[in-house]
Structures are given as structure tokens and as C-alpha cells.
Amino acid sequence: MRAVIQRVSRASVTIEAKIKASIEDGFLILLGVCDEDSMEDVEWLVKKIAKLRVFNDYNGVMNRSIIEIGGNCLVVSQFTLFASYKKGNRPSWFKAGSHEHSIPLYEAFCTQLSEAIGKTVGTGEFGADMKVELINDGPVTICMDTKNKE
């Protein structure tokens, strides 16, 4: 699993000209799933994101988690995080997970993250053409890959 976590002051996802979900103060998470991923990857990534200390404390130091600030999360599926770009200039998506494999893991990730932060997580729609808007706060952007845990 790959995730791009962006600290945002606000973010939204729009599908067919209708806002599907929007948040303020928290994380916009772009999530990619490959066929090698499992529930173990979901659990590891949820734990890391929920405890990621990138929000400012009272001294202006990034020392607080999404849980500590009572922040929100918006999760958007992003198969393009598994783009292969080694040959030519047109990316290949063969490393991205199939819908049958990816959708249950995406949904499990959203459910577990919601439980971890104690709030409903906003979502996009798997496989839809989405328009994502955000105001990156900082900017703070963290990339995580469950196959590179060290």
C-alpha cells in the first residue's frame, strides 16, 4: 500500500459536479493498493497515520497527532501511485491492484482509520473520475509505503 498524506486546512472531493465529501483541519490521504497488499498492510498504515505527529503543539513544533488535535481525514483511492514509468513516457498501471482485491482493502482502511481517530472518514468513490481540491497546510506532505517500513 502506498499513501500520500497531506496536512490540510481544508479538502474536498467532487464527483459529477457534486461534493462527495469535504473536511477541514486534518489529512487528505491518497491511497494506492497493489495485489500484494493484505490486511496487515492496512493495520500498519492506519496505526502509522493515526499516530503521525505533524500537527503543531503550542510551541509551534510538529508534535501532535491527528487524534490529539481532533482532526479529520479524507481518503481518496489513487491507483496511479503504482505507476511504472521506467520505459518510455506513458506510465503503465500493471502494479496497481485489481478492483476485486483493492476495494475491500480500501474500505477496510477507511473503516479502521475512522475507528482509530474516533470520527467518520470522508471518502471519494473507488474508480470514479474525481476532482480533488485542497489547501495544503505548511505544506506538509508525507509519503508512506507498507513495503518500505524501515
Side-chain angles (χ1 to χ4, degrees), residues 92-135:
S92 170
W93 318 116
F94 73 92
K95 292 182 180 180
S98 67
H99 279 203
E100 295 77 25
H101 182 76
S102 299
I103 291 172
L105 291 177
Y106 169 79
E107 290 173 350
F109 175 85
C110 293
T111 299
Q112 287 188 27
L113 184 60
S114 179
E115 292 168 0
I117 68 169
K119 290 184 162 192
T120 301
V121 169
T123 64
E125 183 178 311
F126 198 94
D129 181 23
M130 298 175 273
K131 307 299 181 212
V132 178
E133 290 186 84
L134 70 135
I135 297 187

Side-chain angles (χ1 to χ4, degrees), residues 2 5 24 44 51-53 62 67 83 91 94 96 100 110 120 125 131 141:
R2 290 183 180 161
I5 302 115
E24 291 187 9
W44 182 87
K51 294 181 179 180
L52 187 63
R53 298 181 340 179
M62 287 194 288
I67 296 167
F94 73 92
E100 295 77 25
C110 293
T120 301
E125 183 178 311
K131 307 299 181 212
T141 302

Side-chain angles (χ1 to χ4, degrees), residues 16-32:
E16 296 180 5
K18 294 181 184 164
I19 295 176
K20 168 87 166 56
S22 65
I23 64 163
E24 291 187 9
D25 300 320
F27 287 144
L28 168 64
I29 302 166
L30 305 176
L31 184 71

Side-chain angles (χ1 to χ4, degrees), residues 36-101:
E36 297 171 7
D37 291 329
S38 68
M39 285 303 292
E40 182 180 307
D41 295 294
V42 169
E43 292 161 7
W44 182 87
L45 193 56
V46 165
K47 185 187 292 184
K48 283 303 244 188
I49 291 172
K51 294 181 179 180
L52 187 63
R53 298 181 340 179
V54 295
F55 293 93
N56 292 344
D57 63 16
Y58 297 105
N59 296 315
V61 177
M62 287 194 288
N63 201 26
R64 295 173 46 187
S65 71
I66 189 95
I67 296 167
E68 292 170 305
I69 68 150
N72 301 289
C73 290
L74 174 58
V75 181
V76 176
S77 62
Q78 187 76 52
F79 76 93
T80 60
L81 291 177
F82 281 97
S84 177
Y85 45 83
K86 295 193 184 215
K87 291 184 178 180
N89 294 316
R90 184 174 184 272
S92 170
W93 318 116
F94 73 92
K95 292 182 180 180
S98 67
H99 279 203
E100 295 77 25
H101 182 76

